[in-house]
Amino acid sequence: MMLSSNTSAGTQTTVGNMMSCASCGVAEADHKLKICTACNLVRYCSVNCQKEHRQQHKQECKRRAAELRDKILFKQPESSHVGDCPISCLPLPLDRNGSAVMSCCSKIICGGCTYANQMREMEGDLQQKCPFCRQRLPNDDEEADLNTMKRVEANDPVATYEMGIKHYIDGDYASAFNYFKDAVELGDVESHYTMSHMYREGLGVEKEKKKKIYHL
């Protein structure tokens, strides 16, 4: 059988439809081959074959490894720690000004879905409701806080974080820290960062470098 590619080019050698060692040409059917982990282009039957082929493969391996690194580095992430909008299923913006947290269900809704819902209600002269759970929107901040507290009591990490932010803005750092601590235990990532900031500045807690770094 003829080889389908030249081993000196540094690319994977094949015999028919089977993979083969890039150095000696032994087929995968006859020997278990291990892939070059740097470039994922070639396979070898042994460490000796890999060493013997290194000079021929080195340049192509470096080029392909660089391509793979760039592909990973510049790939648009499918989502982030903020998650996706539960309505549009699109990644939520990292800037919180581009989304809204619903006090009734603690769902974070993207600005586009929030706007579309508002336009629908205005055009149809409808009662204002949450675009996700369809509960009536609160009449004032006090009612919104009551809704959020219900979600906090249900161990909702988003609501717990939001309540921590409210106390933080009000200057009640001790209470804010306790809410952030509970939110961290519930898996909220942003609370980790906020706690790191509080440990760094000594807000509601004594300054502590180790815990500042831990929560980053």
Side-chain angles (χ1 to χ4, degrees):
M1 284 183 280
M2 294 184 65
L3 301 181
S4 65
S5 61
N6 192 327
T7 58
S8 64
T11 55
Q12 179 60 56
T13 305
T14 61
V15 180
N17 292 324
M18 293 185 297
M19 307 300 287
S20 63
C21 176
S23 180
C24 69
V26 64
E28 192 170 30
D30 301 324
H31 201 288
K32 185 177 180 180
L33 304 179
K34 293 185 178 180
I35 196 166
C36 175
T37 55
C39 65
N40 296 333
L41 283 177
V42 298
R43 288 173 169 78
Y44 298 102
C45 63
S46 66
V47 175
N48 287 335
C49 274
Q50 185 175 13
K51 288 180 179 179
E52 290 175 3
H53 194 249
R54 184 169 295 162
Q55 284 301 114
Q56 294 171 283
H57 177 58
K58 184 165 60 175
Q59 293 301 320
E60 179 67 14
C61 185
K62 287 183 177 180
R63 183 192 65 77
R64 180 56 180 160
E67 288 179 356
L68 292 175
R69 283 196 298 270
D70 287 345
K71 185 177 179 181
I72 295 172
L73 181 63
F74 296 107
K75 182 181 179 182
Q76 181 68 26
E78 294 182 0
S79 188
S80 68
H81 68 279
V82 185
D84 299 336
C85 173
I87 298 175
S88 67
C89 296
L90 294 174
L92 289 165
L94 295 177
D95 184 358
R96 278 298 189 96
N97 292 323
S99 60
V101 180
M102 300 294 108
S103 65
C104 46
C105 57
S106 293
K107 296 297 182 183
I108 305 176
I109 311 298
C110 71
C113 289
T114 303
Y115 176 77
N117 185 60
Q118 290 174 345
M119 291 300 295
R120 182 184 62 85
E121 291 171 342
M122 288 175 59
E123 291 172 359
D125 195 22
L126 303 173
Q127 183 184 31
Q128 291 185 329
K129 293 183 178 181
C130 170
F132 182 80
C133 69
R134 299 302 181 188
Q135 291 293 316
R136 178 183 60 81
L137 293 183
N139 294 320
D140 50 38
D141 291 342
E142 185 177 351
E143 186 178 355
D145 289 342
L146 289 174
N147 289 342
T148 303
M149 280 307 301
K150 289 179 182 179
R151 297 303 306 164
V152 170
E153 292 167 2
N155 291 327
D156 188 303
V158 174
T160 306
Y161 170 78
E162 290 297 322
M163 191 54 67
I165 288 294
K166 180 182 184 302
H167 284 278
Y168 185 95
I169 293 173
D170 292 341
D172 185 0
Y173 298 123
S175 296
F177 181 85
N178 289 331
Y179 279 112
F180 292 137
K181 183 178 179 182
D182 291 342
V184 164
E185 293 175 356
L186 293 170
D188 186 75
V189 176
E190 292 191 6
S191 293
H192 267 295
Y193 176 79
T194 310
M195 285 183 67
S196 174
H197 171 74
M198 296 182 79
Y199 273 117
R200 184 186 68 188
E201 302 297 331
L203 301 174
V205 67
E206 291 185 8
K207 291 184 179 181
E208 191 168 339
K209 186 176 181 179
K210 286 185 177 179
K211 289 187 177 180
K212 178 201 77 172
I213 296 173
Y214 171 79
H215 286 287
L216 270 179

